Amino acid sequence: ENTHLKIEPYFQYLYNVPVAKDSSFSIINHQDWYLNTALVNEGYGKNYGIDITLERYLANGYYYLFTASVFESKYKGGDGVWRDTRLNRNFLLNALGGKEWKLGKQRQNRLDANIRLSFQGGDRYSPIDEAASVLEQDAVYDTSKAYEKQLDPAFISNFTVSYKLNKTRLSHEFALKILNATGYKEFSGHFFNYKKQKVEPYRESVMMPGISYKIEF
């Protein structure tokens, strides 16, 4: 009675998408702060896949949630060629779970532990045009092969431990949270290394630990 399973296939078709004529550019993949290209509403896109969710609601002091998504995300730019979109990771797996313990003489206090694990397909990017990059002294992409490259899959984990003291008129909660505990280095594009005269990927690992205290009355 505490467990729920959902299986959801889907298909989405997009039309009149703004694209640049005779180019692989589509607004679907746009991520810059500005745009100086003339666009026409002649592009297409399609997304399809299946989502599976297995959830156990909190009961007897614990819960869990598993999700799996397998999908394809394609687009057709101004050159009429179907390609992978920038966000076509192909799969995404999540596992979330937690346990609580009641402590104290009257079992009025609570210790909680929660963890989330994610495993997903890597980011997509366009191949680098090495010769053009050296001439421009900047990262230049081969847009004729847009988003043909893909990074390795990413594994990310977050966890939280908290302790709540419940008094008669107020409660105190202490918590330790760590985001990206595995130290995954997120991909943020490419940059031109002037010293080496070559283009290199820019990746940064942001691990965020946090200690918090909350009082409720």
Side-chain angles (χ1 to χ4, degrees):
E1 61 180 9
N2 297 315
T3 305
H4 174 69
L5 174 65
K6 181 172 68 173
I7 301 175
E8 187 176 21
Y10 64 90
F11 179 83
Q12 179 186 44
Y13 186 73
L14 309 174
Y15 58 92
N16 290 342
V17 177
V19 296
K21 271 191 172 296
D22 302 319
S23 168
S24 62
F25 178 87
S26 171
I27 202 70
I28 287 176
N29 303 307
H30 186 59
Q31 59 180 336
D32 297 324
W33 293 102
Y34 65 91
L35 179 65
N36 59 359
T37 304
L39 304 179
V40 293
N41 293 87
E42 298 178 358
Y44 297 88
K46 55 185 177 182
N47 302 297
Y48 56 92
I50 185 169
D51 293 335
I52 301 174
T53 302
L54 176 64
E55 181 177 11
R56 185 190 192 277
Y57 308 118
L58 180 62
N60 300 321
Y62 74 96
Y63 73 94
Y64 59 75
L65 173 69
F66 297 101
T67 65
S69 182
V70 181
F71 58 90
E72 287 288 345
S73 180
K74 304 285 187 177
Y75 82 100
K76 182 189 287 188
D79 56 4
V81 178
W82 282 101
R83 296 182 172 89
D84 292 302
T85 67
R86 179 174 62 88
L87 299 177
N88 190 18
R89 294 178 178 268
N90 300 122
F91 72 90
L92 173 60
L93 307 174
N94 285 308
L96 176 68
K99 171 71 176 173
E100 68 175 22
W101 296 268
K102 294 181 180 181
L103 305 175
K105 293 182 179 180
Q106 299 178 341
R107 297 172 62 82
Q108 78 279 13
N109 302 326
R110 196 180 71 205
L111 174 65
D112 291 332
N114 303 275
I115 187 169
R116 177 179 178 179
L117 306 173
S118 296
F119 185 62
Q120 60 189 17
D123 291 290
R124 289 191 175 272
Y125 64 96
S126 303
I128 296 295
D129 187 328
E130 299 288 351
S133 297
V134 173
L135 289 174
E136 295 288 336
Q137 296 287 285
D138 196 6
V140 178
Y141 297 94
D142 182 356
T143 56
S144 67
K145 301 177 181 178
Y147 307 108
E148 288 188 359
K149 295 287 188 177
Q150 187 175 20
L151 298 175
D152 293 334
F155 178 68
I156 304 170
S157 66
N158 307 314
F159 75 85
T160 303
V161 177
S162 64
Y163 185 68
K164 190 170 187 177
L165 290 165
N166 290 308
K167 302 296 184 179
T168 304
R169 296 184 179 180
L170 56 82
S171 64
H172 308 268
E173 184 176 28
F174 306 86
L176 169 64
K177 301 180 181 180
I178 298 183
L179 302 180
N180 191 21
T182 51
Y184 170 71
K185 293 184 177 181
E186 186 174 354
F187 175 69
S188 301
H190 294 86
F191 73 99
F192 189 81
N193 188 322
Y194 295 100
K195 186 175 181 179
K196 297 181 180 179
Q197 286 293 293
K198 60 185 290 189
V199 176
E200 296 181 344
Y202 180 76
R203 307 192 68 164
E204 185 176 12
S205 175
V206 180
M207 182 184 294
M208 296 182 62
I211 298 175
S212 64
Y213 166 72
K214 181 170 65 174
I215 184 171
E216 296 177 345
F217 53 88

